């Protein structure tokens, strides 16, 4: 049986799964890091593959960008395919100056401007979307073992890539300071568009979830990066994610 947006049969997708946004990144991960990878879906060209890493079955499923697209794929992975360890591997925009372009970040928590939490809890509570502690602590240990520096902290999942949170005169600015500056004061390291949904949906299904990123752009410093540098930090992030996903 397939699900509405995934051609895989139940059993085709491993319990352990990496979640990049970009279908071509899914293909690159499968071809570069997995053994005997087989594509199980190409519906909408949103590819998914299953192979093995160090002998352990593992899948990689593209999700598209933003909470609405991401949530479709992840809800079906949880409900239909019974995925148990989900690790998003994506990019984020640096906000804090403590974060540099190409850094690898791990989202301990995912603050959000999305209505998702209100849709799930009806406005009664401000649920805190957090990483699974076991995956988080293992990822940090694996990064150390691989000699790859990582930063861990709170990030923000936004619904609009093009918002005015950087503008002191934007709707949430006070004329002197932008919302982004306030968020950085409160410890937000970076911005992306999916992780709060991953943490909420996985929690609801009793599954473990973690999000790891490379910093692809920086909202304050506007640092630049070469394609080769981006590829190196992307591969570092994938190694941390794979080593963490296969552990029991
Ligand atoms: N904003 C939102 N999402 C992102 C960004 C950004 O600057 N960079 C990578 N994902």
């Amino acid at each position: 049986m397939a699900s509405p947006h995934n051609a895989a049969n139940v059993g085709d997708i491993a319990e352990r799964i990496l979640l990049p946004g970009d279908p071509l990144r899914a293909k690159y991960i499968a071809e570069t890091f997995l053994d005997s990878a087989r594509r199980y879906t190409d519906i909408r060209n949103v590819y998914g593959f299953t192979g093995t890493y160090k002998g352990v079955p593992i899948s990689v499923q593209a999700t598209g960008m933003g909470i609405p697209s991401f949530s479709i794929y992840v809800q079906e992975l949880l409900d239909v395919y019974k995925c148990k360890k989900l690790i998003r591997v994506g990019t984020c925009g640096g906000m804090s100056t403590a974060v540099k372009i190409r850094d690898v970040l791990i989202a301990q928590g995912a603050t959000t401007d999305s209505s998702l939490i209100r849709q799930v809890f009806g406005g009664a509570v401000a649920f805190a979307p957090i990483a699974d502690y076991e995956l988080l602590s293992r990822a940090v240990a694996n990064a150390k073992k691989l000699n790859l520096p990582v930063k861990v902290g709170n990030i923000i999942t936004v619904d609009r890539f093009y918002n005015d949170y950087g503008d002191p005169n934007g709707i949430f600015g006070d004329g002197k300071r932008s919302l982004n500056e306030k968020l950085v004061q409160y410890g937000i390291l970076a911005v992306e568009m999916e992780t709060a949904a991953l943490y909420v949906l996985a929690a609801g299904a009793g599954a473990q979830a973690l999000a790891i990123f490379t910093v692809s752009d920086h909202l304050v410093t506007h640092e630049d990066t070469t394609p080769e540098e981006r590829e190196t930090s992307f591969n570092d992030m994938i190694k941390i994610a794979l080593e963490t996903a296969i552990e029991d």
Side-chain angles (χ1 to χ4, degrees):
M1 192 196 73
S3 66
H5 307 89
N6 201 316
N9 291 311
V10 171
D12 285 349
I13 304 181
E15 282 190 354
R16 301 155 201 266
I17 189 160
L18 265 48
L19 303 167
D22 179 352
L24 295 182
R25 288 257 168 89
K27 184 166 179 278
Y28 172 83
I29 294 165
E31 288 173 352
T32 310
F33 293 95
L34 302 188
D35 295 317
S36 333
R38 184 182 84 79
R39 193 175 71 202
Y40 57 70
T41 188
D42 65 352
I43 293 179
R44 289 178 181 249
N45 291 319
V46 180
Y47 303 140
F49 303 82
T50 297
T52 61
Y53 180 74
K54 299 189 174 173
V56 179
I58 187 152
S59 295
V60 49
Q61 172 68 55
T63 62
M65 291 183 286
I67 285 180
S69 175
F70 180 87
S71 299
I72 289 172
Y73 296 99
V74 169
Q75 196 74 64
E76 292 175 5
L77 291 171
L78 293 164
D79 293 349
V80 179
Y81 301 102
K82 309 295 178 197
C83 292
K84 295 291 180 224
K85 286 182 198 280
L86 301 91
I87 303 184
R88 166 161 152 69
V89 284
T91 59
C92 64
M95 287 172 60
S96 161
T97 51
V99 163
K100 304 277 178 282
I101 207 136
R102 296 190 308 279
D103 278 357
V104 177
L105 300 191
I106 301 179
Q108 181 179 13
T111 296
T112 189
D113 67 4
S114 165
S115 66
L116 169 79
I117 291 166
R118 241 181 308 124
Q119 291 182 46
V120 173
F121 292 98
V125 295
F127 181 86
I130 58 167
D132 175 77
Y133 181 72
E134 193 176 83
L135 289 183
L136 173 63
S137 53
R138 285 176 177 174
V140 171
N142 284 324
K144 204 169 269 179
K145 230 184 281 171
L146 293 164
N147 222 2
L148 301 170
V150 291
K151 293 195 170 77
V152 180
N154 201 354
I155 58 102
I156 183 165
T157 300
V158 295
D159 268 347
R160 294 169 72 213
F161 186 93
Y162 298 107
N163 58 36
D164 63 4
Y165 295 175
D167 179 356
N169 296 306
I171 56 166
F172 297 116
D174 62 7
K176 296 194 200 74
R177 192 165 75 146
S178 70
L179 176 60
N180 278 348
E181 289 172 286
K182 186 166 185 176
L183 289 167
V184 169
Q185 180 198 334
Y186 280 75
I188 299 290
L189 299 175
V191 55
E192 55 79 74
M193 301 184 70
E194 296 84 13
T195 297
L198 174 63
Y199 289 176
V200 171
L201 297 179
Q208 295 178 282
L210 185 69
I212 311 181
F213 314 99
T214 58
V215 180
S216 60
D217 54 291
H218 202 292
L219 275 56
V220 175
T221 65
H222 303 291
E223 283 174 276
D224 227 347
T225 176
T226 66
E228 294 74 31
E229 288 170 329
R230 277 200 296 272
E231 186 173 332
T232 304
S233 36
F234 181 78
N235 287 344
D236 289 347
M237 167 181 67
I238 300 303
K239 282 178 215 156
I240 296 167
L242 286 169
E243 291 295 332
T244 303
I246 63 170
E247 283 179 317
D248 274 320

